[in-house]
Amino acid sequence: MTDRTAETSLDRVVAEEWAAALSTSSGPTAPDEEPTADADFFLAGGNSLQAARLLAGLEARLGARIALRSFMADPRLGTLREECERALRPAPAGDDSDHAHGA
């Protein structure tokens, strides 16, 4: 899988979870209308419960844990995609922060 394929796959999953979380909403965006990177979850009709559902869906499907507080601060689709990408990025080599120091 190329980087572009991975990027497209990530975009697709984020967009699918976004749409699924908003599916119980009757916001101003038509259901078959593709949201842009600047689309705001709350302006599209979402609420905090749906936002939590969105983030839980992304964690289940991708393993990307995004803080609700972070999403609430900037609830745009493009920012959420970037947050997922950051969450999925491997830790830098030599980062042993999970290991106890000085044993």
Side-chain angles (χ1 to χ4, degrees), residues 8-55:
T8 303
S9 177
L10 177 61
D11 289 339
R12 188 186 75 248
V13 170
V14 172
E16 286 172 357
E17 289 299 322
W18 178 280
L22 289 173
S23 68
T24 59
S25 167
S26 57
T29 304
D32 13 331
E33 189 176 314
E34 186 89 13
T36 65
D38 289 332
D40 183 295
F41 187 78
F42 299 108
L43 293 179
N47 60 45
S48 59
L49 182 58
Q50 290 169 310
R53 191 176 303 136
L54 165 62
L55 299 181

Side-chain angles (χ1 to χ4, degrees), residues 11 20 31 50 57 61 77 83:
D11 289 339
Q50 290 169 310
R61 287 185 67 186
L77 180 60
E83 288 290 323

Side-chain angles (χ1 to χ4, degrees), residues 68-88:
L68 182 59
R69 179 179 294 193
S70 172
F71 181 67
M72 300 283 274
D74 189 351
R76 292 176 297 150
L77 180 60
T79 303
L80 178 61
R81 190 235 180 265
E82 291 169 6
E83 288 290 323
C84 287
E85 186 175 39
R86 245 188 310 278
L88 295 171

Side-chain angles (χ1 to χ4, degrees), residues 1-10 12:
M1 179 163 32
T2 66
D3 287 343
R4 183 66 195 141
T5 303
E7 183 177 313
T8 303
S9 177
L10 177 61
R12 188 186 75 248

